[in-house]
Amino acid sequence: MKFEQMQYARPDFDAARETFASLRARIAAAPDAQAQLEAFREFETLSRHISTMSTLAEIRHTVDTRDAFYEAEGAWFDAQIGRAHV
């Protein structure tokens, strides 16, 4: 896949925070290592998705600093990160 073909979608940080909290609880309460590993993999998948969307917005704004959409998306990510770590 070429970079230009990568689809950007703003992540739902509120939902992600809830999912991360749920996954942390699952990891803590897991009856065995397999269950912990499964929840951890879900945690990492969501984390990578959010990171990828943030990076896409940042790169696309850097490529064309006149693009107001990606400038706004970068500011939105900054605000979300400032609210609290997920």
Side-chain angles (χ1 to χ4, degrees):
M1 173 183 295
K2 294 183 179 186
F3 180 77
E4 299 81 27
Q5 296 171 318
M6 295 182 79
Q7 295 293 312
Y8 171 79
R10 179 186 277 188
D12 181 341
F13 262 73
D14 291 331
R17 282 184 182 89
E18 289 178 18
T19 301
F20 282 133
S22 172
L23 290 168
R24 282 191 293 270
R26 279 180 48 200
I27 290 168
D32 56 39
Q34 184 62 35
Q36 281 184 325
L37 185 57
E38 189 176 305
F40 178 75
R41 285 183 177 145
E42 290 178 42
F43 189 100
E44 284 297 303
T45 297
L46 180 56
S47 181
R48 279 192 312 270
H49 172 71
I50 291 171
S51 179
T52 298
M53 293 302 106
S54 174
T55 301
L56 274 174
E58 181 179 356
I59 290 171
R60 288 183 176 157
H61 175 63
T62 301
V63 167
D64 182 359
T65 58
R66 298 165 298 169
D67 189 324
F69 175 78
Y70 286 111
E71 180 178 10
E73 289 303 286
W76 179 83
F77 269 103
D78 290 346
Q80 295 306 307
I81 301 293
R83 282 177 55 194
H85 290 290
V86 288

